[in-house]
């Protein structure tokens, strides 16, 4: 296949990615620090993320499904790395689950029975529901012996409100702590990115940050700690002058108040740059802020380049994608901003 250079790049700052993991590992103190790399490494590319974080010292990785395991299996096997599959095992996963280098996080009594029956004594993790009521076996069932005889590595739970002060955090922490010693689990685990900052009692033996590794700041305690990792860059397809009174884009939602220099970028909602950025997002060139004008289209976005006289057709601009600010501007969550980044980006280390 011919290699055509894409008009859209995702610059990934490997140093920042590694530094963010080291920062989370430091905050995790005595607990090991893992990494959630589900959803293709939160949109960055799981293979790339695993390589960078393994080199930084990360040993424990988390994906959601077994097809995500298959995509990175060769990076795990034989490299002293561990990979867990958060959604556990369905019947149709058993062949993969007994051959690929990963262990399931068992979530239901049926999954527990399936693994006991067909897992051949292989190791597993278990998710306990401590109040989020999403996935997990009941804490009472664990205390009652549901997991007897399983080779459990990590007994884990997940915080519903880690990014805000909530009495639920303490309730969930205490419910997990109460299970210490009730199974043969090697370690317990509770904290995601925000959970790492909640204090010593939340860190247990292993932390599982995701968002913060990729430059997200789920809570104030992590601002200033986390560095921006992802920088979308788009090429200019056309530069034009829109005369005062001329409209730009679908439904003519923006009308030039004065003669305005406009650049049309090779970026749109099909790339994950959603309509929430219409009239609210911006690109940047040197120090100039170049606001998005009119509606974001499927493949195109218009910006005001009046303050960037030299920008021409074929030049590149960087899209403002500091996650907390971009989330505030667009109304999307920082998680959505990352995982929505589309397949047309040429992802490259920078
Ligand atoms: C996604 C996920 C994480 C990581 O959460 P962040 O908020 O991105 O740090 C940790 N644990 C579980 C079970 C998850 O599903």
């Amino acid at each position: 296949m011919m290699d055509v250079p894409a008009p859209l790049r995702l610059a990934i700052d490997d140093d920042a990615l590694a530094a963010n993991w080291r920062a989370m590992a430091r905050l995790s103190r005595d607990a090991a620090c893992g990494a959630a790399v589900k959803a293709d490494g939160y949109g960055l590319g799981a293979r790339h993320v695993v390589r960078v974080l393994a080199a930084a010292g990360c040993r424990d990785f988390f994906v959601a499904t077994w097809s995500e395991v298959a995509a990175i299996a060769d990076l795990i096997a034989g490299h002293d790395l561990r990979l867990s599959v958060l959604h556990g095992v369905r019947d149709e996963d058993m062949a993969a689950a007994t051959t690929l280098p990963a262990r399931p996080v068992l979530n239901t009594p049926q999954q527990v029975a399936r693994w006991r029956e067909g897992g051949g004594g292989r190791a597993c993790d278990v998710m306990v529901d401590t109040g989020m009521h999403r996935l997990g076996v009941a804490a009472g069932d664990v205390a009652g012996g549901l997991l007897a005889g399983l080779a459990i590595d990590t007994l884990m739970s997940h915080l519903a409100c880690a990014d805000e002060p909530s009495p639920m955090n303490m309730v969930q922490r205490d419910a997990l702590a109460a299970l210490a010693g009730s199974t043969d689990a090697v370690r317990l685990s509770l904290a995601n990115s925000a959970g790492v900052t909640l204090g010593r009692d939340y860190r247990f033996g292993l932390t599982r940050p995701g968002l913060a590794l990729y430059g997200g700041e789920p809570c104030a305690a992590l601002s200033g700690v986390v560095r921006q990792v992802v920088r979308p860059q788009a090429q200019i397809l056309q530069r034009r002058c829109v005369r005062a009174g001329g409209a730009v884009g679908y439904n003519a939602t923006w009308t030039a108040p004065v003669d305005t220099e406009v650049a049309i970028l090779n970026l749109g909602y099909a790339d994950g740059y959603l309509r929430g950025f219409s009239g609210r997002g911006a690109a940047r060139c040197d120090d100039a802020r170049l606001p998005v004008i009119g509606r974001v289209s499927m493949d195109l976005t218009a910006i005001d380049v009046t303050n960037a006289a030299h920008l021409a057709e074929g030049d590149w601009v960087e899209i403002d994608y500091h996650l907390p600010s971009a989330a505030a501007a667009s109304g999307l969550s920082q998680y959505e901003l990352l995982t929505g980044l589309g397949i047309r980006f040429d992802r490259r280390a920078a």
Side-chain angles (χ1 to χ4, degrees):
M1 218 168 56
M2 221 193 306
D3 206 4
V4 184
L8 193 56
R9 295 179 189 146
L10 194 63
I12 298 174
D13 185 338
D14 288 351
D15 290 342
L17 178 59
N20 289 344
W21 182 80
R22 283 193 297 268
M24 297 309 288
R26 253 191 321 275
L27 291 173
S28 300
R29 309 279 185 96
D30 294 338
C33 180
V37 298
K38 61 199 185 193
D40 203 20
Y42 284 48
L44 279 67
R47 294 184 64 81
H48 186 70
V49 169
V50 167
R51 281 202 189 95
V52 171
L53 296 186
C58 183
R59 290 290 167 265
D60 297 277
F61 294 90
F62 298 86
V63 292
T65 66
W66 289 93
S67 46
E68 293 185 319
V69 174
I72 56 173
D74 60 305
L75 304 178
I76 300 294
H79 292 86
D80 187 29
L81 303 178
R82 293 171 291 274
L83 180 58
S84 297
V85 185
L86 292 164
H87 293 188
V89 269
R90 305 166 302 162
D91 269 334
E92 46 280 59
D93 294 324
M94 283 303 284
T98 51
T99 48
L100 292 175
R103 49 179 199 252
V105 181
L106 305 177
N107 287 292
T108 69
Q110 288 90 329
Q111 291 191 351
V112 168
R114 186 173 295 130
W115 197 245
R116 195 179 267 124
E117 173 88 3
R122 286 180 184 77
C124 61
D125 297 332
V126 176
M127 176 67 72
V128 190
D129 176 27
T130 54
M132 188 177 187
H133 297 122
R134 196 175 61 170
L135 288 177
V137 299
D141 288 352
V142 174
L146 174 74
L147 308 177
L150 287 176
I152 304 173
D153 183 280
T154 304
L155 184 67
M156 69 181 78
S157 192
H158 192 53
L159 292 166
C161 308
D163 56 355
E164 56 178 343
S166 162
M168 233 179 114
N169 290 330
M170 281 161 267
V171 171
Q172 292 196 266
R173 172 200 64 192
D174 292 348
L176 182 65
L179 295 175
S182 69
T183 71
D184 296 333
V186 176
R187 55 188 178 175
L188 302 183
S189 174
L190 180 63
N192 62 349
S193 299
V196 171
T197 69
L198 292 176
R200 188 172 161 267
D201 315 348
Y202 288 83
R203 297 193 290 261
F204 294 94
L206 170 68
T207 63
R208 311 185 306 267
L211 185 71
L213 307 176
Y214 309 110
E217 297 173 12
C219 56
L222 287 174
S223 62
V225 173
V226 165
R227 283 165 55 184
Q228 184 171 351
V229 174
V230 168
R231 296 174 190 277
Q233 298 163 351
Q235 201 173 18
I236 295 173
L237 275 172
Q238 182 169 24
R239 180 178 173 129
R240 64 191 321 143
C241 180
V242 178
R243 297 282 169 213
V248 171
Y250 281 123
N251 304 105
T253 59
W254 185 86
T255 303
V258 294
D259 290 359
T260 305
E261 290 292 318
V262 172
I264 309 301
L265 302 180
N266 218 305
L267 168 74
Y269 59 77
D271 303 302
Y273 198 68
L274 300 190
R275 228 164 83 162
F277 285 107
S278 303
R280 297 174 151 270
R284 203 153 287 269
C285 182
D286 303 325
D287 281 341
R289 183 178 184 275
L290 312 173
V292 170
I293 54 182
R295 286 227 165 118
V296 173
S297 312
M298 186 182 296
D299 319 298
L300 299 169
T301 297
I303 55 173
D304 180 342
V305 291
T306 307
N307 291 330
H310 63 285
L311 276 179
E313 188 172 325
D315 287 346
W316 290 78
V317 295
E318 180 161 314
I319 308 301
D320 270 356
Y321 225 66
H322 173 250
L323 291 171
S325 334
S330 65
L332 298 166
S333 74
Q334 297 178 56
Y335 297 88
E336 291 167 309
L337 290 178
L338 287 168
T339 58
L341 291 166
I343 55 170
R344 293 192 294 196
F345 280 98
D346 175 9
R347 288 161 170 77
R348 42 167 73 192

